[in-house]
Amino acid sequence: MQLKIKNIILYPQSTDKKPRFISFDIKKLNIITGYSQRGKSAIIDIIDYCLGSGECNIPVGKIRDSVSVYALYLEINGEHYFLARENYEVSKSTMYFVKENVKGEIPELRSNEWLANKSDYKFNIAFVKKQLSELAGFKNYIQEDQQNPFNTSASFRDTAAFQFQTQNIIANPSTMFYKTDSWEHLQKLKTIFPLILGYSSYEIILLENEISELEKQKVRLVNTLENLKEQYENWQSEVYKYYTEAVSLGLTNSDVNIETASVSRIRAALNSILNSAENGELYKKGSANRFNEKTKELVNTRDSLIRNLSIAKNELNKIEQLEKSKEDYLDDVIREKENRLRPVEWFLEQNGTNLCPFCDSESSKAMDELLSLNEARDVNRKILDQAKSLGYDFEEEKKQLLKEISKYENSIMQLDANLNILLKEEKETEQSIKKTFEYVGKIEHALSNLKKIEPSSELNKEIEVLNGTIATKKTSLKRLVEKFDKESSLKKLTNLIDKYVKILSIESKENRLVHLDPDSSLNIKIEDTKTKNKYYLARLGSGANYMGYHLATMFGLHEFFWQLKQSNKINYVPSFLVLDQPSQVYYPESLNSRTDSLNKNSKDVEDTKKIFEACVEFLKNTNNEVQLILLEHVPKEMWSDIDSNYINLVEEWRGTEGTDAFLALIPQNW
């Protein structure tokens, strides 16, 4: 996203004062330098606030008391925009948003005049953030991840992590990115990082979401099909009764076995009976013989089940008797022995080892006997403990036997129901014919109901189509993932960061490589190329090292973002970076902040100059297309011998307070 800051504008509480303009060059290193407590660090807070931050970190006191509206004049993707916000206490959810014509700016916005009719430019903050997100290229797609509570659509605001390095972050050993000192922002940034770094895309996210949804749909269909199959097969015992009744009425001579026949097999036999009845064939030749055979078959099967049931019952009885015997033994012998030996412990605790606990005379005989009894008690306790541990030895066998008994009993009940149908006493022929017609009506209804729960071939076809669609989309996803290759992206980032590590004053930088893998951590790791060990930044010591790695990482990231267009990928990150006092780790010992004298031979001064050299190198590497804003304490002599074509001294906030020379963010006359 090409977003650069042309102006910061502060509109005063007192409208008789002129607005305060701070102007930046969009293609250079913009430096604001000055003494402490002049408002330099507030620049980051003002920019972030005007870009839609949900909170206001602009310092309470002189700045908030003096300013009524904070504004930015921006160039976004070649067009000009005006964004403004009132003090947080006045309005938390309102912004002023205007898109200006490049040739015809709105003059009233350059003065206090617009404040009189500011409602003309008023918008809800959510609307403005949505507009900025769309300008950045973000879309309202969400990665499927139900475990992540911050799994919301990526937006323009999430990129703030890459825009600012505040004083408390720029040399921080444990926090690399702006606002990620809070767990919520950290998790959100981790979620969108693959998109920002270009090894994911909205195309990938959309495909992943579609595949996930299709697979859920497939699971639902498969479960429906399996449930239907289960219901369908559970009808086996019910529909077999209709077949048995048909045998008793002489309507069939087919042979369908109760133990092996599927629902479909029984259903086919019933359909055949129904067709014959509809054709007027109410008696089937050979059905009498089938009646006898079926009766014999059911009786034989029942006898077999009764025998198996008897065996299972006997086995269960034996186990229960064995368990009872064990319990009886424990109660009668072991526990009784424990009760009798319980007083031994009390006697042993009374008078030591050389006095008789019964008569208090000096004798070891009684004590030896008590000790012997105590040993017997210990043995008895071990037996008792072992017996307890074996208490559930037969539980699995009992469970299995009870399951078998239940199964046999259910089968016998089903057989009895079918035998009752066959052996029921026959009445006169008229009654038998009446029963035949009633039966035909019943099976018509039963077959109709059965058809309703029959697993549909359409479901199978639908599942097959889904499988094909999922496979096609997975193939497309694989090609995209290969194009948006994470490993090569992160390797490229490491190489870009390394260029700036070599410029800055970092210990052992010849043997150091910076690695960032946002899927595992948002903190960088530093590899020692000799030992191949990787360490978190905090392990490397010294604020100078921390600051150096912060700058190198941010420069490497922004150069990486800038290069994304070369591989036809979208850069979602605004093209500006604000750094707040990186030189704080050096504090050049020869620098007198009041006289601006400088000892150019100082090691701290030389190391500080490398910061400016790295900034200029970054501008060269990005073809001046990423705007840099540097907030510093050091004087302009620090960069006087560095290429001035890349540096713009925005303002110098020095001078003694109370004099005309006093300069700061807030004008002295405010």
Side-chain angles (χ1 to χ4, degrees):
M1 180 188 190
Q2 282 294 307
L3 185 156
K4 298 182 181 181
I5 302 167
K6 295 178 74 71
N7 298 104
I8 292 175
I9 313 170
L10 306 181
Y11 296 90
Q13 294 280 2
S14 177
T15 54
D16 62 335
K17 308 293 183 185
K18 290 183 179 180
R20 168 83 159 99
F21 280 80
I22 303 172
S23 300
F24 300 96
D25 190 315
I26 63 173
K27 288 185 174 291
K28 291 186 178 182
L29 168 60
N30 297 272
I31 302 174
I32 296 176
T33 183
Y35 298 144
S36 298
Q37 299 180 341
R38 296 294 175 98
K40 297 189 301 297
S41 295
I43 293 293
I44 286 179
D45 300 322
I46 291 168
I47 295 172
D48 191 35
Y49 184 57
C50 290
L51 290 176
S53 172
E55 54 193 25
C56 180
N57 294 315
I58 298 171
V60 175
K62 184 183 292 186
I63 298 175
R64 289 209 199 186
D65 293 342
S66 304
V67 180
S68 66
V69 176
Y70 309 87
L72 297 178
Y73 184 48
L74 305 171
E75 182 179 298
I76 304 177
N77 300 335
E79 299 180 302
H80 291 81
Y81 293 83
F82 175 85
L83 271 74
R85 291 182 78 175
E86 292 178 295
N87 270 318
Y88 197 64
E89 294 79 5
V90 176
S91 177
K92 297 180 181 179
S93 60
T94 299
M95 288 189 73
Y96 303 102
F97 179 73
V98 186
K99 179 181 177 182
E100 296 192 13
N101 188 296
V102 178
K103 294 182 179 178
E105 296 177 351
I106 303 174
E108 70 172 16
L109 294 175
R110 308 298 176 260
S111 68
N112 295 325
E113 184 183 343
W114 75 282
L115 296 172
N117 59 336
K118 60 186 178 183
S119 60
D120 293 347
Y121 309 109
K122 183 178 178 181
F123 289 93
N124 184 281
I125 189 172
F127 170 81
V128 177
K129 288 197 285 189
K130 183 174 182 293
Q131 295 297 307
L132 292 173
S133 292
E134 289 177 359
L135 288 169
F138 289 107
K139 298 179 182 179
N140 192 28
Y141 293 144
I142 301 172
Q143 184 75 41
E144 287 288 334
D145 184 359
Q146 300 304 321
Q147 302 302 314
N148 188 349
F150 307 104
N151 187 35
T152 54
S153 181
S155 74
F156 167 83
R157 282 301 309 164
D158 299 321
T159 63
F162 306 104
Q163 309 312 142
F164 310 107
Q165 285 280 293
T166 56
Q167 278 193 55
N168 66 317
I169 290 178
I170 203 163
N172 193 312
S174 56
T175 301
M176 173 58 63
F177 299 106
Y178 180 63
K179 285 192 174 179
T180 54
D181 48 352
S182 81
W183 188 76
E184 180 178 345
H185 285 104
L186 187 73
Q187 293 303 310
K188 184 62 188 295
L189 182 59
K190 189 173 180 179
T191 301
I192 70 159
F193 226 127
L195 184 69
I196 300 296
L197 278 180
Y199 61 85
S200 184
S201 70
Y202 278 114
E203 218 176 342
I204 289 174
I205 293 171
L206 183 58
L207 265 177
E208 286 175 338
N209 284 351
E210 287 177 354
I211 291 169
S212 175
E213 201 53 47
L214 287 170
E215 286 181 332
K216 288 177 185 175
Q217 188 179 341
K218 175 187 165 185
V219 167
R220 286 194 295 268
L221 288 176
V222 168
N223 287 340
T224 300
L225 185 61
E226 291 302 318
N227 287 336
L228 285 174
K229 284 180 179 177
E230 186 177 353
Q231 288 181 50
Y232 189 72
E233 292 304 322
N234 284 343
W235 267 57
Q236 198 266 2
S237 61
E238 291 300 317
V239 293
Y240 196 84
K241 291 177 184 176
Y242 290 109
Y243 165 75
T244 304
E245 192 171 351
V247 172
S248 94
L249 292 171
L251 294 173
T252 182
N253 60 6
S254 62
D255 184 15
V256 180
N257 189 284
I258 190 170
E259 293 182 305
T260 59
S262 66
V263 173
S264 297
R265 172 74 181 87
I266 303 169
R267 181 183 172 188
L270 293 178
N271 271 319
S272 176
I273 294 165
L274 189 58
N275 290 333
S276 296
E278 287 174 350
N279 292 328
E281 189 178 342
L282 298 179
Y283 188 83
K284 201 77 170 177
K285 186 178 180 181
S287 62
N289 186 47
R290 176 58 57 215
F291 176 88
N292 293 328
E293 288 177 353
K294 185 54 61 180
T295 303
K296 184 178 178 181
E297 177 190 306
L298 292 176
V299 169
N300 289 339
T301 303
R302 187 179 188 281
D303 289 343
S304 176
L305 287 170
I306 291 290
R307 284 194 297 273
N308 290 336
L309 176 61
S310 179
I311 292 169
K313 284 162 61 178
N314 287 333
E315 288 294 322
L316 180 62
N317 184 57
K318 287 178 184 177
I319 289 173
E320 289 176 342
Q321 288 297 323
L322 182 59
E323 286 187 331
K324 188 175 184 307
S325 298
K326 186 183 77 171
E327 288 299 319
D328 289 344
Y329 172 75
L330 289 174
D331 287 337
D332 294 344
V333 181
I334 304 298
R335 288 191 180 91
E336 180 62 27
K337 191 173 182 180
E338 168 66 14
N339 289 335
R340 292 188 180 188
L341 292 173
R342 188 173 290 121
V344 170
E345 189 174 350
W346 181 84
F347 281 119
L348 287 172
E349 292 173 354
Q350 297 309 303
N351 297 316
T353 59
N354 62 340
L355 292 176
C356 176
F358 302 103
C359 62
D360 287 336
S361 62
E362 289 189 10
S363 170
S364 62
K365 184 176 180 182
M367 188 58 65
D368 290 342
E369 289 295 331
L370 285 172
L371 289 171
S372 177
L373 288 171
N374 196 52
E375 287 178 7
R377 186 187 181 205
D378 289 340
V379 172
N380 193 63
R381 280 180 171 175
K382 288 179 182 178
I383 295 171
L384 184 60
D385 290 341
Q386 289 174 355
K388 287 178 180 177
S389 69
L390 295 172
Y392 297 99
D393 281 353
F394 300 106
E395 283 304 309
E396 193 58 39
E397 288 84 347
K398 285 169 65 178
K399 186 177 177 182
Q400 189 61 35
L401 284 168
L402 287 168
K403 187 176 178 181
E404 287 181 16
I405 288 169
S406 178
K407 177 185 172 184
Y408 291 141
E409 287 178 339
N410 287 334
S411 297
I412 290 167
M413 288 172 66
Q414 290 175 17
L415 282 166
D416 285 347
N418 285 279
L419 279 168
N420 285 334
I421 293 169
L422 289 176
L423 301 176
K424 194 173 183 182
E425 185 178 351
E426 291 296 324
K427 296 187 178 177
E428 59 271 13
T429 305
E430 292 83 7
Q431 185 69 15
S432 183
I433 291 172
K434 180 183 176 183
K435 286 181 64 180
T436 299
F437 283 112
E438 287 176 352
Y439 168 78
V440 170
K442 279 196 301 183
I443 64 168
E444 281 181 336
H445 182 68
L447 290 172
S448 173
N449 286 339
L450 196 57
K451 189 173 183 179
K452 290 177 184 176
I453 66 164
E454 180 185 15
S456 169
S457 59
E458 292 301 317
L459 270 176
N460 276 318
K461 288 178 183 176
E462 205 172 334
I463 292 168
E464 286 175 12
V465 170
L466 274 176
N467 281 332
T469 305
I470 291 169
T472 302
K473 289 187 179 292
K474 281 187 174 179
T475 301
S476 301
L477 180 61
K478 184 180 178 184
R479 291 197 200 100
L480 277 172
V481 170
E482 287 171 354
K483 176 186 174 184
F484 293 85
D485 180 44
K486 173 185 173 181
E487 186 176 347
S488 63
S489 293
L490 296 183
K491 184 177 180 181
K492 179 181 178 182
L493 177 60
T494 291
N495 293 334
L496 290 174
I497 294 172
D498 189 53
K499 292 193 302 185
Y500 301 103
V501 170
K502 297 297 188 284
I503 296 171
L504 294 159
S505 182
I506 294 174
E507 294 175 9
S508 305
K509 58 188 178 184
E510 297 78 12
N511 306 317
R512 299 282 190 262
L513 281 177
V514 176
H515 296 277
L516 175 63
D517 183 359
D519 290 333
S520 59
S521 172
L522 291 187
N523 284 325
I524 59 173
K525 280 189 174 181
I526 316 301
E527 179 188 354
D528 184 323
T529 56
K530 287 184 176 179
T531 64
K532 302 301 180 183
N533 292 326
K534 292 181 182 178
Y535 307 98
Y536 282 113
L537 190 55
R539 295 281 300 277
L540 299 179
S542 118
N545 281 336
Y546 303 153
M547 182 277 297
Y549 282 117
H550 271 254
L551 288 189
T553 300
M554 297 309 294
F555 289 153
L557 277 166
H558 275 272
E559 185 175 346
F560 182 93
F561 299 146
W562 176 75
Q563 290 184 6
L564 284 171
K565 60 186 177 183
Q566 297 173 6
S567 53
N568 296 316
K569 296 177 181 178
I570 298 174
N571 174 15
Y572 300 96
V573 179
S575 53
F576 76 90
L577 174 61
V578 187
L579 307 171
D580 189 6
Q581 290 191 195
S583 70
Q584 64 180 289
V585 298
Y586 298 126
Y587 293 115
E589 71 270 9
S590 302
L591 178 62
N592 183 319
S593 61
R594 293 295 174 187
T595 63
D596 294 343
S597 62
L598 192 66
N599 178 359
K600 294 189 177 181
N601 294 320
S602 162
K603 172 73 165 59
D604 283 344
V605 168
E606 289 303 312
D607 289 344
T608 302
K609 286 178 66 176
K610 289 178 181 178
I611 294 172
F612 296 91
E613 291 170 3
C615 289
V616 169
E617 184 65 23
F618 169 72
L619 290 172
K620 291 177 180 178
N621 291 337
T622 55
N623 198 26
N624 295 76
E625 291 184 14
V626 180
Q627 184 183 34
L628 276 181
I629 298 174
L630 182 60
L631 311 171
E632 261 300 346
H633 184 83
V634 298
K636 56 189 175 185
E637 284 81 4
M638 190 66 69
W639 62 86
S640 59
D641 54 353
I642 298 174
D643 194 340
S644 60
N645 292 320
Y646 291 89
I647 297 176
N648 172 41
L649 177 57
V650 178
E651 293 189 10
E652 192 170 7
W653 297 343
R654 302 194 192 279
T656 304
E657 191 168 0
T659 70
D660 292 340
F662 177 83
L663 294 172
L665 174 66
I666 302 300
Q668 194 165 209
N669 67 347
W670 278 22

